[in-house]
Amino acid sequence: MRKCLFLLLVLAGLIAPTVGRAQVKLGLKGGFNLTRLDMNEEIIDSKNRNGFYFGPTLKVTLPLFFGFDVSALYDRREMRVGDAAEKVKQEMVTVPLNVRLNLGNERQIAGVFYAGPQIAFNIGDRHKVVDEAREWKFKDSNFSLNFGAGVMLGGVLQATVNYNLALGKTAEVNNGVVTDALHKLENIEAKTNAWQLGLAVFF
């Protein structure tokens, strides 16, 4: 976690000297998560994956079409695993810091491409038992990367499509039922990647 915070601080320090010549806008953003659950075992099948996110965002536009944005978002991701009736739910506060490339006139219409690191802090239950057998243990924090593109309209409204790629595991799964068929389910590592559809309004 210290390495993640250090990287975010370094990136902010590199960008800070140019902020004096920048255009700064505060806004609100939100959207939907289409979560993909990647595991190091293929025995468990995930389905019905969804969720949402929302929170304040700060956009800084620099000279020469570049800029960055930083947000503080409540992020909820959930999925149903196998035949279990209960859903596995992950609740986080995420802090993405993206470098942006703006193509066009933001006050009219402009294309937006961005990428950057994201750190997330778990604020929900760290332990979840599903189907009275599988115990999910979420990490206190995790690190990921964002890659996205979108459209900026009238300098106010922004629509984006984003892929959030987890770096390292976000959870471990331990199975309480030990049989010949399920023995391999012990100590499974899980990553929650997500496609994200979002809208932001800037003031």
Side-chain angles (χ1 to χ4, degrees):
M1 189 175 84
R2 292 180 180 178
K3 292 182 179 179
C4 299
L5 290 173
F6 178 75
L7 180 58
L8 289 175
L9 290 173
V10 169
L11 289 175
L14 292 174
I15 296 172
T18 62
V19 174
R21 297 175 294 160
Q23 180 183 18
V24 181
K25 284 192 174 183
L26 182 65
L28 294 173
K29 68 186 299 184
F32 296 98
N33 292 321
L34 304 176
T35 305
R36 176 184 175 184
L37 180 65
D38 290 332
M39 311 184 80
N40 64 345
E41 294 282 353
E42 297 181 356
I43 299 176
I44 295 180
D45 176 45
S46 63
K47 54 188 176 181
N48 295 340
R49 301 159 290 188
N50 53 62
F52 61 90
Y53 63 94
F54 66 89
T57 184
L58 180 71
K59 178 175 71 73
V60 179
T61 303
L62 305 174
L64 300 177
F65 308 105
F66 285 97
F68 70 94
D69 62 68
V70 61
S71 308
L73 308 173
Y74 170 79
D75 190 320
R76 173 171 170 161
R77 304 180 187 187
E78 58 184 35
M79 64 223 73
R80 183 173 290 124
V81 180
D83 297 324
E86 295 182 81
K87 291 182 178 180
V88 176
K89 179 176 66 176
Q90 184 181 21
E91 293 180 281
M92 305 173 288
V93 171
T94 61
V95 183
L97 175 60
N98 297 311
V99 176
R100 301 164 57 98
L101 173 63
N102 306 310
L103 301 179
N105 186 345
E106 277 198 353
R107 296 182 180 180
Q108 297 178 2
I109 182 171
V112 179
F113 300 89
Y114 62 88
Q118 173 175 293
I119 186 170
F121 302 95
N122 183 52
I123 60 172
D125 295 333
R126 290 192 64 242
H127 299 267
K128 172 71 174 179
V129 178
V130 178
D131 205 17
E132 299 182 353
R134 298 164 186 159
E135 181 184 14
W136 290 70
K137 296 181 179 179
F138 287 105
K139 296 180 62 179
D140 290 331
S141 63
N142 58 77
F143 191 59
S144 59
L145 293 176
N146 287 313
F147 304 92
V151 177
M152 189 79 187
L153 299 174
V156 176
L157 184 64
Q158 175 183 274
T160 56
V161 178
N162 179 77
Y163 187 69
N164 178 239
L165 174 65
L167 300 179
K169 63 184 178 183
T170 55
E172 289 184 350
V173 185
N174 295 318
N175 194 72
V177 179
V178 181
T179 66
D180 291 340
L182 296 177
H183 183 70
K184 291 197 300 183
L185 292 180
E186 295 183 349
N187 298 321
I188 294 174
E189 296 181 0
K191 296 180 180 180
T192 51
N193 302 324
W195 283 99
Q196 299 177 311
L197 308 178
L199 285 175
V201 178
F202 294 96
F203 309 107

